[in-house]
Amino acid sequence: MIGEYFRIAVRNLRVRSMRSWLTILGIVIGIFLVISLVSLSEGVKDTVMNELDMMGGNLIMVVPGDISDMMTTLIGGLELEDRDVDAIKRVRGVDAVLEMPWASEMVRHEQKARMSLLYGVSYDSGFSIVREDMGWDVVEGRFPHQGRREIMVGNLVPKDLFPDLQVGDQLTIKGSKFTVTGIMRSLGNREDDLAIPMDLDDFRNITGKREGTPIAIARVAEGYDVETVEQEIRYALEDTRVRGKGEDSPSFSVLSSDAVSDIVGNVMGVLQIAVFAFASISIIVGGIGITNTMYTSVRERTREIGILKAVGAKRKHITSIFLVESGIIGLIGGVGGVVLGVALAKGIELYLGAGGMFYIEAHISLPLILFGLGFSFLVGCVSGLLPARRASRMQPVDALRYE
Amino acid sequence: MSNLLQIEGVWKVYHLGKIDVEVLRGVDLNIKKGEFITVLGPSGSGKSTLLNMMSCLDTPTKGRVVFEGEDVSHMSEDELATVRGKNIGFIFQQFNLLMHLTALENVTIPTVFQGTSRAEREKKATSLLDSVDLLERVDHRPGELSGGEKQRVAIARALVNSPDVIVADEPTGNVDSKTGEKIMNILKDLNKEGKTVIVVTHDEDLVPYADRAIRIKDGQIV
Ligand SMILES: Nc1ncnc2c1ncn2[C@@H]1O[C@H](COP(=O)(O)OP(=O)(O)OP(=O)(O)O)[C@@H](O)[C@H]1O
Ligand SMILES: [Mg+2]
């Protein structure tokens, strides 16, 4: 029986093909948005969370200013002074502290000169944190040694910045020569991969800035509770500023890497829900289109309904015929939307991958695809409910008299 | 012969705004199984309306309609649909075929709602189209058929569920007289096979085919 309704429905959709396709398009767009946006935002979330996961759970990030105002903190040039850093170092349970100032400088290799982002990382104390807890590694050569004017370069530096750069070459930065001992493994985003980390002392000599860092990362020694140490750091910093400099209410943000992950995870989650909600609304708009088309169809086929009823069709038969038809519209729209959505998401993934900008893997999961198909079919059926009801309630005599 | 249909004091009143239109005004009628009946009368006299009552398409405003011993006057729409599907074959003046289905598919339509298997349906429909000389037309759509051919497809459709009763509202109204004759002969043959046939018409020439002519005027039998 369902097979017969299916045949009737397909026949009707073909007869009114232009209108059918336009109605289907309404659903295609909605499902397309859901699939592409959700899979891409899931991909972005994966990438960001992966990067955060590279940071071990025993790290505590310290930035001056209020975290809710992080952008102004970083851009506005608030910095931690040496005495702040020393205070952190003196806290019980802090194993090592990584200071990480940065600056853009002109870097020369043979005849070429390029602006590059330099990081200062103290090779003696900070290195153990970036290597052991933040996943820094070399894919070629070795890590540089302190005091020998050695540096390593980000993964994309030999590709994009200085195409013929090799391990063992020399880079000149503000008149000082450095030997490149290694090329780093990719850190997951273009900006970091184009940067050049160097020893904190060398960095300070070059930039002429004797102290200050916009961010410090403390590692908690084994056997100490991260939260307790976090609290201790907060007290220590307030103490130095209030007693040492007489400030009223110094503000610092002290965050464990888990807390950062939580915050980012929450933000991404909210973003995803918003994306999902908006895309779903467009599917509902598509559903209204189906309802509209089905009402028109019911009116045009009044006589047909009368004939079917005359020859023995009950209400449920008429209802099924129209529901199957609207369900098919929804489902075809869903298939189209899934195909286009997957194509766009994969396209963006390839495009970004080729440009080396930001590595996103479009996260196209089977549940997402099944959701797309199921939801479109459901929207189709629900959209057809009222028109189908109207059709099923027509009186056979009236329907047969309809011109 | 036993009674097929009893119509007792049937009224049909349509309410158009404030005006009541009395289309049937107290009709009494008995039809026996195996009869060939024509219902005659001028346009607007209520022939089609009466046929709707007799064929369980509609229910009376007042009075009783008993079909094969069962009072159908107060049946629900779905119950009436069951009675129609099983017992009554319809032939209309406008043919009323579904335009985008083939002749064969049109003939099978009534069986869909009876849950007959597809193979069985198509076998029955093909043999019926054969019996009305349309075997080579099974895959044609109504648009490709002449009026007479369309009406024969409609006859095949009316027969597909093997009903006891065939009702036809002006079956010759849209075809020429020769084709009309052919159609009436098919109906006559069906009647000989034992089916009750009720034909509504305003054409006096059809009277000779029938066992009995019922004349109606202003909603009453005369
Ligand atoms: N659903 C309806 N609503 C209002 N009036 C109706 C309705 N159906 C029929 N009528 C009226 O009832 C009267 C009889 O209609 P009916 O169709 O039974 O006549 P008829 O004898 O079959 O005429 P014809 O020979 O032209 O087909 C007509 O005046 C018609 O306008
Ligand atoms: Mg009539």
Side-chain angles (χ1 to χ4, degrees), chain A residues 397-398 401, chain B residues 12-16 21-24 41-52 58 93 169-170 200-202 216:
Chain A
V397 187
D398 296 336
R401 281 168 60 93
Chain B
K12 186 69 184 179
V13 182
Y14 290 107
H15 307 279
L16 296 177
V21 186
E22 298 175 342
V23 180
L24 296 179
S43 186
S45 57
K47 303 183 296 291
S48 297
T49 308
L50 177 60
L51 190 71
N52 291 342
D58 206 356
Q93 178 176 1
D169 194 344
E170 312 261 15
V200 160
T201 183
H202 54 254
I216 182 168

Side-chain angles (χ1 to χ4, degrees), chain A residues 1 4-5 7-8 11-12 15-16 301 303-304 306-318 321 392-398 400-401 403, chain B residues 14 52 57-58 77-79 81-82 84-85 88 90 92 94 96-98 100-102 105 108-115 118 121-122 141 157 161:
Chain A
M1 202 111 113
E4 209 58 38
Y5 298 156
R7 266 152 43 106
I8 294 174
R11 210 62 72 80
N12 271 305
V15 169
R16 300 166 177 84
R301 288 155 67 188
R303 218 183 159 80
E304 176 181 332
I307 297 167
L308 295 177
K309 290 203 151 193
V311 302
K314 294 183 189 172
R315 283 188 176 179
K316 63 173 184 201
H317 297 129
I318 302 293
I321 286 173
S392 78
R393 295 196 164 186
M394 284 181 177
Q395 295 296 315
V397 187
D398 296 336
L400 280 169
R401 281 168 60 93
E403 294 293 322
Chain B
Y14 290 107
N52 291 342
L57 261 182
D58 206 356
E77 210 200 294
D78 277 355
E79 287 168 330
T82 308
R84 288 194 301 269
I88 300 167
F90 286 86
F92 305 92
Q94 312 290 345
N96 280 345
L97 300 175
L98 302 189
H100 42 271
L101 299 186
T102 64
E105 289 166 336
T108 59
I109 281 290
T111 61
V112 171
F113 310 114
Q114 305 299 324
R118 183 154 168 199
R121 287 209 304 263
E122 297 201 336
R141 296 188 186 202
R157 180 180 65 187
N161 281 337

Side-chain angles (χ1 to χ4, degrees), chain B residues 203-215:
Chain B
D203 185 356
E204 290 289 338
D205 293 345
L206 303 190
V207 173
Y209 290 95
D211 304 327
R212 183 153 63 111
I214 291 159
R215 293 175 193 277

Side-chain angles (χ1 to χ4, degrees), chain A residues 207-357:
Chain A
T207 58
K209 263 187 75 194
R210 295 312 311 168
E211 70 170 314
T213 175
I215 183 168
I217 293 170
R219 180 166 63 193
V220 178
E222 218 156 307
Y224 285 86
D225 176 47
V226 176
E227 258 173 67
T228 314
V229 176
E230 195 184 314
Q231 200 54 42
E232 293 285 331
I233 290 176
R234 212 168 276 134
Y235 292 147
L237 284 170
E238 272 170 28
D239 228 34
T240 31
R241 288 269 169 126
V242 175
R243 260 194 296 132
K245 289 179 75 184
E247 288 178 22
D248 301 337
S249 53
S251 75
F252 297 95
S253 297
V254 183
L255 296 161
S256 67
S257 51
D258 285 348
V260 174
S261 293
D262 280 355
I263 291 171
V264 175
N266 282 343
V267 169
M268 296 298 293
V270 169
L271 250 161
Q272 273 186 307
I273 289 170
V275 159
F276 190 77
F278 281 115
S280 297
I281 288 171
S282 79
I283 295 178
I284 289 168
V285 172
I288 294 172
I290 294 184
T291 305
N292 188 28
T293 298
M294 293 308 293
Y295 266 128
T296 312
S297 179
V298 167
R299 203 180 54 240
E300 285 174 356
R301 288 155 67 188
T302 299
R303 218 183 159 80
E304 176 181 332
I305 294 163
I307 297 167
L308 295 177
K309 290 203 151 193
V311 302
K314 294 183 189 172
R315 283 188 176 179
K316 63 173 184 201
H317 297 129
I318 302 293
T319 308
S320 311
I321 286 173
F322 284 92
L323 280 188
V324 166
E325 191 169 320
S326 65
I328 288 176
I329 292 180
L331 193 58
I332 294 177
V335 172
V338 166
V339 170
L340 288 182
V342 168
L344 181 82
K346 278 284 164 198
I348 287 181
E349 176 187 313
L350 289 178
Y351 176 77
L352 291 180
M357 289 271 290

Side-chain angles (χ1 to χ4, degrees), chain A residues 9 43 48 57 64 69 129-130 153 159 162 167 182 226 258 295 359 381:
Chain A
V48 173
D69 209 15
I129 293 183
V130 294
V153 296
K159 293 184 182 110
F162 303 112
V167 172
V226 176
D258 285 348
Y295 266 128
Y359 312 105
C381 288

